[in-house]
Amino acid sequence: MAQNEEKQALTHLDEHGNIYMVDVTDRQETLREAIAHAQVRMRPETVKLIAENQIAKGSVLEVAKIAGIMAAKKTPDLIPLCHPLPMTHIQLHFVLDSTKGWISIEGRTRTTYKTGVDVEALTAVTVAALTIYDMCKGVDTTITLEQAYIAQKSGGKSGTVTFHPE
């Protein structure tokens, strides 16, 4: 455990160890935002094909963007005990590096609600990464999905929290 981290009680278990969904009824609605990152590594030639829109299955980044947006909206259907949220903003951005052979994905989510949108942001970038894999696996068997994490989240009692992996 990091030096500044406090040990917190598990919020989805009652005193008998039974699982339940956290009750957020009495929480105040606040603006909640999250930024997630993921990286997809592949051969540099594959990144070039994607950049030039030369992958036979179509526009990889546009399809990945749509898949990520759809996934963020479906997060409660995928993750047990995750609250359904009125998503007000979902955005994905891609940075390609054909020299090093990677695509960086940033997902931003926003809502005004009683609980955060960090899982939705993480779902967006990981599904976008999976979509890139699926669309490119026919031309590159070396693709890996790497470094999915929440870079920042804000709103609620925690305020703004940032994280940068080493």
Side-chain angles (χ1 to χ4, degrees):
M1 186 172 354
Q3 191 175 21
N4 294 342
E5 291 181 28
E6 292 180 27
K7 190 171 185 178
Q8 295 183 358
L10 298 175
T11 59
H12 290 79
L13 296 175
D14 67 15
E15 63 275 2
H16 305 293
N18 298 310
I19 294 173
Y20 69 96
M21 186 174 188
V22 173
D23 186 353
V24 298
T25 305
D26 294 331
R27 289 186 187 173
Q28 183 176 340
E29 288 189 0
T30 61
L31 176 62
R32 312 288 183 127
E33 298 178 287
I35 301 170
H37 289 266
Q39 186 167 291
V40 182
R41 189 167 301 280
M42 62 192 67
R43 293 191 330 248
E45 305 82 48
T46 307
V47 177
K48 288 178 187 172
L49 289 172
I50 293 168
E52 296 167 359
N53 204 20
Q54 296 298 311
I55 298 293
K57 288 188 174 183
S59 176
V60 173
L61 300 182
E62 288 302 307
V63 174
K65 184 183 293 185
I66 293 167
I69 291 169
M70 290 174 61
K73 295 190 298 185
K74 290 290 195 178
T75 300
D77 294 335
L78 301 169
I79 308 298
L81 309 178
C82 193
H83 293 86
L85 302 177
M87 301 299 298
T88 59
H89 180 72
I90 306 166
Q91 180 181 19
L92 285 120
H93 178 71
F94 303 91
V95 175
L96 287 70
D97 186 325
S98 59
T99 303
K100 295 180 182 176
W102 56 256
I103 298 174
S104 176
I105 307 166
E106 178 181 273
R108 293 175 176 261
T109 52
R110 186 178 308 134
T111 191
T112 300
Y113 198 61
K114 300 174 180 203
T115 188
V117 290
D118 49 334
V119 176
E120 289 74 9
L122 196 54
T123 301
V125 298
T126 55
V127 170
L130 284 167
T131 302
I132 291 169
Y133 169 83
D134 181 57
M135 293 189 72
C136 300
K137 65 187 178 189
V139 296
D140 190 342
T141 59
T142 69
I143 300 170
T144 59
L145 311 183
E146 304 175 0
Q147 291 188 333
Y149 63 94
I150 297 297
Q152 182 176 315
K153 63 181 187 170
S154 62
K157 67 180 180 183
S158 300
T160 299
V161 178
T162 58
F163 171 73
H164 301 284
E166 297 175 11

